Amino acid sequence: MSTSAVPRPSSHRLTPKGEATRARIVEAASTLVFAHGVTRTGVEDIQREAGVSASQLYHYFGDKQALMRAVIAHQTEAVLATQRPELDALDSFEALGRWRDRLVTLQRSRHCAGGCPIGSIASELADEDPEAREDLVAGFEQWEAPIRSGLATMRERGLLQEGTDTDRLALALLAALQGGLLLTQTRRTTVPLEVALDSTIELIRSYAV
Amino acid sequence: MSTSAVPRPSSHRLTPKGEATRARIVEAASTLVFAHGVTRTGVEDIQREAGVSASQLYHYFGDKQALMRAVIAHQTEAVLATQRPELDALDSFEALGRWRDRLVTLQRSRHCAGGCPIGSIASELADEDPEAREDLVAGFEQWEAPIRSGLATMRERGLLQEGTDTDRLALALLAALQGGLLLTQTRRTTVPLEVALDSTIELIRSYAV
């Protein structure tokens, strides 16, 4: 009985200018949520950051909850974009290594702040908002799917032993990544992220032919 | 230049009744923070939950920040307590398995809600409050230390190969646990937690003699 099928205000047939304004609002909200979290980000802060009025904001998003769902979708796209092209071709140990390096470099460039843009929203909203939780599940699934598919390709190409449960290894890799990001955010060093990813890649290597 | 050496209001020489009131406030705050997060938990909510007045609360804690630091200390103790006695003797593969089972059973009993009581606060406060971040670093360290010590004992007892970097494996296990808890909270199934822990334990097993 999800209400996600209920059309959100003005979600259809926006003019190009309307699309741009909507995108600006989502971008502003995403920036603030990444920096301060969902609860600390007020609708007024988002208006100011986006340079829109309250009525403009409510024209595009009926309430903060609807806007936060757009933020989750936006952040999922953004997270996946920062990991491309590596994420879409995790089909060799070299590719896994390059992806790992990209993730570590990104956190280093952020001075380890922010954690995971999706994971941090999940931690805040998973218990509070059932619809946001569904979006977050979908977001993590969009992330896990290419990992799963890459490892399956490695098995098909004969790099991993026949019968290797690559789905399980993909989930382990996503979990290691999430935990590594959180500890890296807390400890302000990329060591936990590096150790978490390297350990799981080491486990995957133990299935090499 | 930490200000943590500055005495907090009434942190010294409390009467037994004062100690009990202080403990009741911290307990109430911890319950609310675990359920709703730091930002969503107002001081008035805590007063109501603990059955104390504003002046009583401010007698024990100068501000919400001071109270949240007490919550971090309390939750660290509580998290470690729920994992005892297993956590203090992770010195065999059987012990690792029992600890893993305890963690999974606990999340199942919570219907996968809440995530990690320390990790969820870390996600909210690590970037916002430098002193809280230090406390969270210390909390994670209190958790990692017995894992590290258990794995080192396994190496000393000849269960793991000489030269095994058990510190690295301990950190990998804590990261897997954190990521597994977050994905378990989001997906409402203990599968991610199980896969994350089992995978890391499998990696540890690859170092068995």
Side-chain angles (χ1 to χ4, degrees):
Chain A
M1 300 299 282
S2 165
T3 60
S4 57
V6 176
R8 281 166 292 171
S10 302
S11 65
H12 303 300
R13 272 171 286 168
L14 292 177
T15 62
K17 201 182 153 192
E19 282 288 3
T21 306
R22 185 184 185 282
R24 202 166 74 240
I25 295 168
V26 174
E27 182 75 46
S30 298
T31 301
L32 292 172
V33 165
F34 183 61
H36 305 296
V38 171
T39 315
R40 267 199 201 84
T41 299
V43 172
E44 298 76 15
D45 304 323
I46 299 167
Q47 284 170 37
R48 203 173 315 123
E49 178 86 7
V52 298
S53 67
S55 67
Q56 271 179 300
L57 193 144
Y58 286 108
H59 174 72
Y60 295 99
F61 302 97
D63 53 20
K64 184 179 171 184
Q65 191 189 23
L67 177 50
M68 288 305 119
R69 295 187 68 184
V71 166
I72 293 167
H74 177 268
Q75 292 295 64
T76 300
E77 278 306 307
V79 162
L80 300 184
T82 59
Q83 294 171 34
R84 292 203 166 102
E86 287 81 359
L87 183 64
D88 292 332
L90 290 179
D91 51 6
S92 68
F93 285 109
E94 293 70 32
L96 279 173
R98 282 192 300 270
W99 177 62
R100 173 263 190 222
D101 289 345
R102 181 174 281 259
L103 291 164
V104 171
T105 304
L106 181 65
Q107 289 320 107
R108 202 170 283 140
S109 74
R110 287 175 175 163
H111 306 287
C112 301
C116 172
I118 308 176
S120 56
I121 300 180
S123 182
E124 251 191 295
L125 289 190
D127 293 342
E128 294 286 335
D129 181 339
E131 289 179 26
R133 190 182 74 76
E134 280 178 35
D135 293 350
L136 290 158
V137 168
F140 280 129
E141 170 54 26
Q142 277 186 62
W143 202 350
E144 194 179 336
I147 305 175
R148 217 160 43 214
S149 143
L151 296 182
T153 303
M154 284 177 74
R155 187 186 53 212
E156 283 152 26
R157 290 174 57 195
L159 296 173
L160 297 174
Q161 291 160 37
E162 222 176 298
T164 302
D165 188 346
T166 50
D167 287 1
R168 187 174 151 273
L169 292 171
L171 177 53
L173 203 42
L174 184 64
L177 172 49
Q178 285 301 314
L181 285 170
L182 179 66
L183 292 176
T184 278
Q185 178 183 17
T186 309
R187 292 184 174 169
R188 287 288 187 269
T189 154
T190 55
V191 171
L193 178 61
E194 293 176 47
V195 167
L197 291 175
D198 289 344
S199 300
T200 315
I201 292 172
E202 186 185 340
L203 177 67
I204 297 170
R205 265 190 198 280
S206 74
Y207 288 91
V209 173
Chain B
M1 302 299 284
S2 166
T3 60
S4 56
V6 176
R8 283 167 290 173
S10 304
S11 64
H12 303 297
R13 274 170 285 171
L14 292 176
T15 63
K17 200 181 156 198
E19 282 287 3
T21 306
R22 185 185 184 283
R24 200 165 76 241
I25 295 169
V26 174
E27 182 75 46
S30 299
T31 301
L32 292 172
V33 165
F34 183 61
H36 305 296
V38 171
T39 315
R40 268 199 200 83
T41 300
V43 171
E44 298 75 17
D45 305 323
I46 299 166
Q47 284 169 36
R48 203 172 315 123
E49 178 86 9
V52 298
S53 67
S55 67
Q56 271 179 300
L57 193 144
Y58 286 108
H59 173 73
Y60 294 100
F61 302 96
D63 54 19
K64 185 179 169 183
Q65 192 190 22
L67 176 50
M68 287 306 118
R69 295 188 69 184
V71 166
I72 293 167
H74 177 268
Q75 291 296 65
T76 300
E77 278 306 307
V79 161
L80 300 184
T82 58
Q83 294 172 36
R84 290 200 168 102
E86 287 82 358
L87 183 64
D88 293 331
L90 289 179
D91 52 4
S92 67
F93 285 108
E94 294 69 32
L96 279 173
R98 282 193 300 270
W99 177 61
R100 174 261 188 224
D101 289 347
R102 182 174 279 259
L103 290 164
V104 171
T105 304
L106 179 66
Q107 290 318 107
R108 202 170 283 138
S109 75
R110 287 174 175 165
H111 306 286
C112 302
C116 171
I118 307 176
S120 56
I121 300 179
S123 183
E124 250 190 296
L125 290 190
D127 293 342
E128 294 286 336
D129 181 340
E131 289 178 26
R133 190 183 74 75
E134 280 177 35
D135 293 351
L136 291 158
V137 168
F140 280 130
E141 170 55 26
Q142 278 187 62
W143 201 349
E144 195 179 334
I147 305 175
R148 219 161 41 215
S149 145
L151 296 182
T153 304
M154 284 176 74
R155 189 187 51 213
E156 283 152 27
R157 289 174 58 195
L159 294 172
L160 296 174
Q161 292 161 35
E162 221 176 298
T164 302
D165 189 346
T166 49
D167 287 0
R168 190 175 149 272
L169 293 171
L171 177 53
L173 202 43
L174 183 64
L177 171 50
Q178 285 300 315
L181 285 169
L182 179 65
L183 292 175
T184 278
Q185 177 184 17
T186 308
R187 292 186 174 166
R188 287 287 187 267
T189 154
T190 56
V191 170
L193 179 61
E194 293 175 49
V195 166
L197 291 175
D198 290 344
S199 300
T200 314
I201 292 172
E202 187 186 336
L203 177 66
I204 297 169
R205 264 190 199 281
S206 75
Y207 288 91
V209 173

